[in-house]
Amino acid sequence: MSASPSPEPFTVIDSPSPPSVFPVYTSLFTAKAFGIDSQLTSGLHALYPELVLTKTFANNCDLLDFAFAGHATAELDITTDSIARFRGFVPGYLRGQKGSLGDAISFAKYHYNWAGEDFIVYIVQEGYTFVQYILKEAGPGETQISHSKITDALISAIGEWQASDDKVVYVFDRYWTKSRALWNEVQKASWDDVILDARMKKTLTEVVGKFFDSKNVYEELGVPWKRGLIFYGPAGNGKTISIKAIMNTLSVRKNRIPTLYVKSAPSSYSIREVWVMARRMAPCLLILEDIDTIVTERTRSYAFNEIDGLENNDGILMIASTNHLEILDPGLTKRPSRFDRKYLFPLPSKVTPNPFIVSSVNPTNQAFQKNERILYCAYWRQKLRNKPTIAFPKKLCLAIAGITQGFSFAYLKEAFISTLLVMAGNHQSEDDGSGAPGETDVDHDDSDDLDDYELWREMKNQVKLLRDDMESKTPSFEPRTLHRGHDQERREGERELSSEMSEPTPQIGRVTGDGRPPIFGEGFRVGKSESEKDAAVLPQLSLAYRPARPGRMSFGAAVGP
């Protein structure tokens, strides 16, 4: 007699699996891929019939950037759906900074939360752009193909965030981006660091400040509320640092004025994009760096029409810079309706008595009140006042100024930096016993022999090297000085200095390079959990207006593991 079969030890209950869109995605790329958006839309409607679907482009409304900035959360979901991604190494943004791993994602699902509302988001690369498919429960009166009020509110919040100009500088280099790094650099700029004739400094600050405070005056006079200034002169004499000081001044006003900085605009289309943005952001400051490379023979006519054509440019203050005024089109330099004032930044020479120098150096010595090079030396003397190993008496200001005729402020700065580096190396050699003992330096102002001061001895050596470089046919500093006309400008400047002319000169300062370094691994997004050090860098990238461009995967990359 056979035994009856024993009952099953457990019961299997069938449960529906979560909907997966990835099979639809893979089917599109294993067959014809034409019109994948419409097919994905149909697939999403079929898999989520109870949810409202909204589609938006990542370069118009970037959900992940918004989340990465801390305004929402985006959790990558690889449990209920699959993912298409490339893994890669992202080097550190700065040399010496540790790199990390990141993902370039072409298909992914996220659980997205904003303002207490939950969303399902699919981000899919379609060609050279990324499409975001946002799914949300239907509200009262909403259907699967209608708009979602909550999703619309999310998109509006992201748009307002992207359009905000808080603590950024708008930079145009063939397309617009927002740079928080440049804004941070501008905050370090101060008029105190600009070696400038006091009257000219006052003039510049008043011209800029009064322009933005005088809208009503322009309206009462019935004239357009716009103005243009040109800063010109040999390279290395303060145009850029003065512009940065102006930008800083405008950034701390009660009604802050945004800055638009144009680095390159090689085509008429680029020129158009510049002025469209400036009109949208007005009142604003529009900086045209090296205008001779922006308004060229190719774009001249179009640029003139944009500057003072039929369109309204109210509220736009333009500041252009150039090292070569003589090569600019007369339509720029001799047309007040375009650029109304020109300010020369010459090689350091004599000026009239300056109260700033009187308070900083020696109020009883008229020579100290006249020479701009002495003023710059006094500036360095003030910076080094707390360095006990460096003896820098007042008399050295006059002596150093005397041997640096014809030096731009860029060369003067290099003379001080190279001298101090040599001195630091000498002291280190003495401390570790690897070098011969140096001569004892004096630490007071009593010695009449300037050679008793190490600073003076090393400064003479460095000035000689720099002067040889200036007079060589192939200068290693400032490669742009090979431009035609510069040698003549330098010779005229040297003759002016040697004759000790007494005419007052406009403001001077120093030039600093200001370019965005290339960003390696730009197509990859690094999650916070993997690289906290890069977190301060990536928000800068996330603020960019980044139109779709072939060969780059910089949209919609992943936040998370």
Side-chain angles (χ1 to χ4, degrees):
M1 183 174 179
S2 61
S4 60
S6 61
E8 293 288 341
F10 56 86
T11 303
V12 177
I13 301 176
D14 293 331
S15 61
S17 60
S20 176
V21 181
F22 193 71
V24 179
Y25 173 78
T26 54
S27 68
L28 298 176
F29 286 94
T30 55
K32 294 181 179 180
F34 181 80
I36 65 171
D37 170 66
S38 59
Q39 298 177 64
L40 280 172
T41 299
S42 298
L44 287 166
H45 281 319
L47 293 169
Y48 297 96
E50 74 284 4
L51 302 182
V52 179
L53 173 63
T54 303
K55 299 182 291 184
T56 182
F57 291 109
N59 62 346
N60 174 263
C61 174
D62 200 318
L63 292 164
L64 295 183
D65 279 357
F66 191 64
F68 195 86
H71 304 296
T73 60
E75 181 183 353
L76 186 64
D77 180 3
I78 57 176
T79 302
T80 63
D81 217 327
S82 190
I83 185 172
R85 60 184 172 183
F86 290 92
R87 193 69 163 160
F89 178 77
V90 183
Y93 183 72
L94 301 175
R95 190 169 74 89
Q97 188 178 39
K98 186 178 180 181
S100 55
L101 298 178
D103 288 330
I105 296 179
S106 54
F107 176 94
K109 176 184 179 181
Y110 297 88
H111 290 295
Y112 200 89
N113 183 277
W114 168 75
E117 298 287 345
D118 292 310
F119 306 81
I120 296 174
V121 175
Y122 284 90
I123 299 181
V124 182
Q125 182 183 7
E126 299 180 11
Y128 294 121
T129 189
F130 282 78
V131 179
Q132 301 168 135
Y133 298 87
I134 309 171
L135 296 154
K136 181 62 181 171
E137 299 91 345
E142 295 176 352
T143 67
Q144 191 183 47
I145 60 174
S146 69
H147 290 305
S148 165
K149 292 182 180 179
I150 297 177
T151 302
D152 284 352
L154 169 62
I155 294 173
S156 296
I158 297 174
E160 291 296 329
W161 171 73
Q162 290 181 155
S164 67
D165 56 2
D166 181 43
K167 296 183 179 181
V168 296
V169 173
Y170 294 84
V171 180
F172 188 86
D173 191 0
R174 298 176 184 265
Y175 56 92
W176 283 110
T177 60
K178 292 180 180 181
S179 175
R180 185 160 295 167
L182 181 55
W183 188 90
N184 290 333
E185 286 300 312
V186 167
Q187 301 313 299
K188 302 174 186 177
S190 169
W191 284 113
D192 294 337
D193 296 328
V194 181
I195 308 305
L196 185 69
D197 177 71
R199 293 174 304 169
M200 188 59 69
K201 184 185 295 187
K202 183 181 180 208
T203 297
L204 276 182
T205 54
E206 287 181 351
V207 165
V208 173
K210 286 182 179 179
F211 171 80
F212 291 109
D213 293 333
S214 302
K215 179 181 179 181
N216 294 337
V217 175
Y218 281 82
E219 290 177 347
E220 290 174 3
L221 295 174
V223 296
W225 180 36
K226 64 186 184 70
R227 197 164 180 80
L229 313 176
I230 294 180
F231 293 177
Y232 72 100
N237 286 294
K239 297 183 289 294
T240 299
I241 188 62
S242 296
I243 289 173
K244 290 173 71 175
I246 290 172
M247 293 165 63
N248 186 15
T249 300
L250 295 178
S251 72
V252 297
R253 285 168 53 102
K254 181 178 180 181
N255 297 320
R256 191 169 55 83
I257 303 298
T259 295
L260 282 63
Y261 173 62
V262 181
K263 297 174 66 176
S264 173
S267 65
S268 296
Y269 175 81
S270 296
I271 295 291
R272 176 64 179 172
E273 289 295 297
V274 167
W275 262 268
V276 166
M277 183 69 163
R279 294 181 189 114
R280 186 170 75 84
M281 298 300 298
C284 66
L285 174 65
L286 178 62
I287 304 296
L288 304 171
E289 182 81 10
D290 293 325
I291 191 173
D292 45 300
T293 66
I294 296 173
V295 180
T296 62
E297 184 176 354
R298 177 184 177 186
T299 61
R300 175 180 56 197
S301 178
Y302 198 94
F304 289 171
N305 288 329
E306 290 292 336
I307 293 172
D308 67 346
L310 298 178
E311 297 193 59
N312 188 330
N313 288 334
D314 279 0
I316 300 176
L317 173 63
M318 297 181 296
I319 297 182
S321 68
T322 179
N323 297 336
H324 306 284
L325 185 70
E326 74 281 359
I327 69 173
L328 292 183
D329 190 284
L332 288 175
T333 60
K334 298 181 179 180
R335 180 74 176 269
S337 63
R338 291 168 183 160
F339 287 93
D340 313 284
R341 291 288 186 272
K342 298 184 287 290
Y343 296 93
L344 173 64
F345 288 68
L347 291 170
S349 60
K350 285 194 172 182
V351 297
T352 53
N354 187 324
F356 177 78
I357 308 176
V358 171
S359 62
S360 299
V361 187
N362 186 347
T364 64
N365 189 334
Q366 291 299 311
F368 277 84
Q369 299 176 23
K370 296 182 179 180
N371 199 297
E372 294 170 345
R373 296 191 302 276
I374 297 175
L375 174 56
Y376 190 74
C377 295
Y379 168 78
W380 273 94
R381 181 173 181 269
Q382 180 71 8
K383 286 172 67 76
L384 299 172
R385 67 187 184 279
N386 295 324
K387 302 291 184 182
T389 60
I390 301 175
F392 195 164
K394 296 175 183 177
K395 65 184 74 175
L396 287 188
C397 293
L398 183 60
I400 294 172
I403 64 172
T404 53
Q405 287 191 358
F407 274 39
S408 69
F409 274 84
Y411 270 93
L412 281 170
K413 178 184 177 183
E414 175 59 24
F416 272 97
I417 291 176
S418 57
T419 296
L420 294 172
L421 288 175
V422 170
M423 292 175 62
N426 292 343
H427 296 168
Q428 183 177 3
S429 297
E430 294 170 10
D431 292 340
D432 61 21
S434 59
E439 298 179 46
T440 303
D441 203 0
V442 295
D443 58 359
H444 48 75
D445 297 352
D446 296 338
S447 177
D448 293 328
D449 187 355
L450 296 183
D451 284 331
D452 286 341
Y453 299 95
E454 182 186 10
L455 179 66
W456 170 249
R457 297 192 302 270
E458 296 298 343
M459 178 65 72
K460 287 192 298 182
N461 294 334
Q462 297 304 315
V463 167
K464 183 180 184 304
L465 293 173
L466 289 171
R467 191 173 296 283
D468 290 343
D469 180 83
M470 291 172 59
E471 295 173 353
S472 67
K473 294 182 179 180
T474 56
S476 59
F477 295 94
E478 304 176 19
R480 296 195 58 170
T481 59
L482 294 175
H483 197 290
R484 65 183 179 89
H486 177 269
D487 289 340
Q488 180 181 353
E489 290 174 357
R490 179 173 59 80
R491 288 193 295 269
E492 290 175 353
E494 291 173 346
R495 285 197 296 270
E496 175 186 343
L497 288 169
S498 62
S499 61
E500 300 294 341
M501 295 177 67
S502 59
E503 293 91 75
T505 57
Q507 69 281 21
I508 48 181
R510 64 182 180 83
V511 170
T512 57
D514 212 356
R516 175 178 179 266
I519 300 173
F520 300 100
E522 194 173 21
F524 293 89
R525 180 64 54 83
V526 180
K528 289 184 180 179
S529 61
E530 296 187 34
S531 178
E532 293 293 342
K533 290 185 177 180
D534 284 342
V537 175
L538 289 174
Q540 174 196 345
L541 304 181
S542 69
L543 290 171
Y545 290 125
R546 295 170 297 182
R549 299 188 299 285
R552 301 182 68 177
M553 297 173 59
S554 55
F555 311 123
V559 174

